[in-house]
Amino acid sequence: MREPVRRADVVVVGAGIAGLNAAHRLTEAGLDVLVLEAGPTVGGRMSTEDVDGFRLDRIGQLMSGAYPELHRSTTLAKLPLRPFAPGVLLHSDGRHHRAGEVAGPRRTWGALTAARALAHAPRVPRPRTGHGFAPLGGPIDQARLGAALARLASTPPRRLLARPEATAAEALAARGLPARTLEGFVRPLLAALLCDPELTSSSRAADLALHAFARGSLCLPEGGADALPRQLAAALPAGTVRTSVRVTSVATTSVTTEQHGTLRCRAVLVATDARSAAALLPGLRVPACHPVTVVHHTADEVPCTGSALVLDADRRGPVAHTAVVSEIDPSRAPRGRALITSTVLGTPPASVDRAVRGHLAALYGTSTTRWDLLAVHHTPQAVPQMRPPHDLRRSVRLLAGLYVCGDHRDTSTVQGALYSGRRAARAVLRDLGVRSVPAEEPVPAVA
């Protein structure tokens, strides 16, 4: 990028999904927006790597098709999502047990999205599951779990946010579910959704994560996690997003870059990760983060779990969750090859590949010695922690002309990042006295 950068009404620093979503809201309101990204591509931590025809996510946070921000704009509504099989597949005592399927007449956006995608997906054999109830208890316990998930799906988020706050681990004991169900299903599921193996997150954030799970299928963007930011960036006016431009300082009416000096504007929105934002905005609180390690393998034969998300109910190894991603989204692997993606939460073991292979052999019930390692992605600052008391709607307006957004201002989810961008855009428009575009159909808030 050697040509001069044009002047803009609003400069957005950072081309992650929060900043890109904010840029959409601002351009829809008629403002001239410039997005500056220090890296060579958009997306930030939501990135995907190409390796020998495989599409490998760096972090690959689990998403729900029920996230409201995915349906609030025509751009995101067009994003192709590939759903996991309903519920999850729990591995316990050498067997698989399907759990977490929410039955009922109500069809949410997430369920409809999953149904449309599954209707056009290739048919795969249903995984072999055991007939025991080790992770969940007996039939009565499973019925209680199904009823609890159904109630959670129909509970308005504002009521969830009104509950007393504790850590997720502390709150679980008071929910009236059997200990086997909590330890064998709820705890490993929440650890996967929040990237928090010890469940130190706010119970309110945990309730919202379970609410989204109960309302819609877990899913992945087709083609890789970076499909979401790429789609947002492509829908912006030409020239809006400039990559490989490093911002060194910000003020209420200007930004200074290494490449182009000082650029004037009417407002500045910092939409980077928390540490980078604090470097530009001294005094901004930087939360601790959960480290995440993602390990990608390929195999000639497809494991028998189909398109299910596999959780270790016994927690006997480093893998928190794993899936045959090529069965969920065939575009992520060359034809005839299986892509198995596994996530390790917390500090990874010294020999990641060896430890993960041993655990996967138990989870999939097959030898992994002939599996090929494609990549190991370790991200120390992957997901901001949400320890209580956690403000789910931290201020995005620092002062008139200077704003900040990102998952560190909301919930540490894709929904939280997108929604913080919307909130920041709303604050900018209000301060600049610009009328927003007509409101869309009301959408329930889910973080």
Side-chain angles (χ1 to χ4, degrees), residues 157-182:
R158 64 180 177 274
R159 287 181 56 189
L160 298 177
L161 297 177
R163 290 176 173 178
E165 187 179 25
T167 67
E170 293 168 343
L172 287 180
R175 295 301 160 85
L177 290 173
R180 286 175 298 183
T181 304
L182 290 175

Side-chain angles (χ1 to χ4, degrees), residues 155-248:
T155 302
R158 64 180 177 274
R159 287 181 56 189
L160 298 177
L161 297 177
R163 290 176 173 178
E165 187 179 25
T167 67
E170 293 168 343
L172 287 180
R175 295 301 160 85
L177 290 173
R180 286 175 298 183
T181 304
L182 290 175
E183 293 299 315
F185 170 71
V186 182
R187 178 179 284 273
L189 175 63
L190 272 179
L193 296 176
L194 301 174
C195 296
D196 178 7
E198 303 303 322
L199 297 190
T200 59
S201 299
S202 163
S203 57
R204 294 172 180 172
D207 283 341
L208 291 173
L210 288 174
H211 176 85
F213 170 81
R215 286 180 60 87
S217 295
L218 296 176
C219 58
L220 299 173
E222 185 176 292
D226 67 347
L228 196 159
R230 284 191 291 108
Q231 182 146 329
L232 283 172
L236 289 169
T240 297
V241 180
R242 300 297 183 91
T243 57
S244 301
V245 179
R246 183 172 179 271
V247 173
T248 56

Side-chain angles (χ1 to χ4, degrees), residues 57-102:
D57 288 347
R58 180 163 291 276
I59 296 179
Q61 281 180 279
L62 297 172
M63 293 172 50
S64 168
Y67 285 161
E69 285 299 318
L70 297 178
H71 308 275
R72 272 182 162 142
S73 72
T74 55
T75 298
L76 289 177
K78 295 176 183 176
L79 179 69
L81 298 175
R82 307 294 299 188
F84 289 82
V88 297
L89 209 57
L90 300 174
H91 183 270
S92 178
D93 291 331
R95 292 186 294 181
H96 290 128
H97 311 259
R98 187 170 293 279
E101 296 180 76
V102 181

Side-chain angles (χ1 to χ4, degrees), residues 22-405:
H24 263 280
R25 311 310 300 175
L26 296 170
T27 55
E28 286 174 350
L31 293 180
D32 190 12
V33 180
L34 183 62
V35 181
L36 302 180
E37 167 58 43
T41 60
V42 301
R45 285 166 290 156
M46 205 164 183
S47 62
T48 304
E49 179 185 17
D50 278 302
V51 175
D52 298 331
F54 293 90
R55 299 282 292 161
L56 311 179
D57 288 347
R58 180 163 291 276
I59 296 179
Q61 281 180 279
L62 297 172
M63 293 172 50
S64 168
Y67 285 161
E69 285 299 318
L70 297 178
H71 308 275
R72 272 182 162 142
S73 72
T74 55
T75 298
L76 289 177
K78 295 176 183 176
L79 179 69
L81 298 175
R82 307 294 299 188
F84 289 82
V88 297
L89 209 57
L90 300 174
H91 183 270
S92 178
D93 291 331
R95 292 186 294 181
H96 290 128
H97 311 259
R98 187 170 293 279
E101 296 180 76
V102 181
R106 183 172 182 177
R107 303 298 298 276
T108 64
W109 279 307
L112 291 172
T113 300
R116 287 196 296 267
L118 285 171
H120 298 91
R123 296 296 176 186
V124 296
R126 190 175 180 87
R128 297 188 298 272
T129 59
H131 298 290
F133 306 106
L136 302 176
I140 294 178
D141 293 332
Q142 294 194 70
R144 291 172 65 184
L145 172 63
L149 289 174
R151 285 196 305 272
L152 188 61
S154 61
T155 302
R158 64 180 177 274
R159 287 181 56 189
L160 298 177
L161 297 177
R163 290 176 173 178
E165 187 179 25
T167 67
E170 293 168 343
L172 287 180
R175 295 301 160 85
L177 290 173
R180 286 175 298 183
T181 304
L182 290 175
E183 293 299 315
F185 170 71
V186 182
R187 178 179 284 273
L189 175 63
L190 272 179
L193 296 176
L194 301 174
C195 296
D196 178 7
E198 303 303 322
L199 297 190
T200 59
S201 299
S202 163
S203 57
R204 294 172 180 172
D207 283 341
L208 291 173
L210 288 174
H211 176 85
F213 170 81
R215 286 180 60 87
S217 295
L218 296 176
C219 58
L220 299 173
E222 185 176 292
D226 67 347
L228 196 159
R230 284 191 291 108
Q231 182 146 329
L232 283 172
L236 289 169
T240 297
V241 180
R242 300 297 183 91
T243 57
S244 301
V245 179
R246 183 172 179 271
V247 173
T248 56
S249 65
V250 299
T252 55
T253 57
S254 66
V255 299
T256 301
T257 71
E258 282 187 350
Q259 292 83 358
H260 305 285
T262 300
L263 310 174
R264 299 293 176 183
C265 55
R266 298 170 63 192
V268 175
L269 170 57
V270 177
T272 64
D273 65 89
R275 288 184 179 274
S276 300
L280 295 173
L281 304 167
L284 194 72
R285 185 178 71 86
V286 180
C289 288
H290 295 296
V292 174
T293 304
V294 180
V295 183
H296 300 277
H297 289 98
T298 181
D300 294 325
E301 296 184 359
V302 179
C304 67
T305 53
S307 58
L309 179 71
V310 181
L311 304 178
D312 183 8
D314 300 328
R315 300 194 296 280
R316 294 177 178 172
V319 176
H321 58 91
T322 182
V324 186
V325 171
S326 53
E327 293 294 282
I328 302 160
D329 178 9
S331 69
R332 296 189 181 214
R335 185 182 296 274
R337 299 290 293 175
L339 171 61
I340 302 98
T341 296
S342 310
T343 299
V344 176
L345 303 178
T347 303
S351 179
V352 163
D353 183 38
R354 182 169 57 189
V356 167
R357 280 178 190 268
H359 196 188
L360 293 180
L363 293 178
Y364 287 107
T366 186
S367 172
T368 60
T369 56
R370 298 184 65 183
W371 289 12
D372 295 324
L373 177 67
L374 292 170
V376 176
H377 294 143
H378 177 63
T379 307
Q381 307 293 323
V383 179
Q385 294 182 8
M386 298 183 286
R387 296 192 175 187
H390 180 71
D391 186 355
L392 295 172
R393 296 291 181 267
R394 297 191 68 197
S395 176
V396 293
R397 182 186 186 272
L398 303 181
L399 64 157
L402 195 58
Y403 312 84
V404 61
C405 68

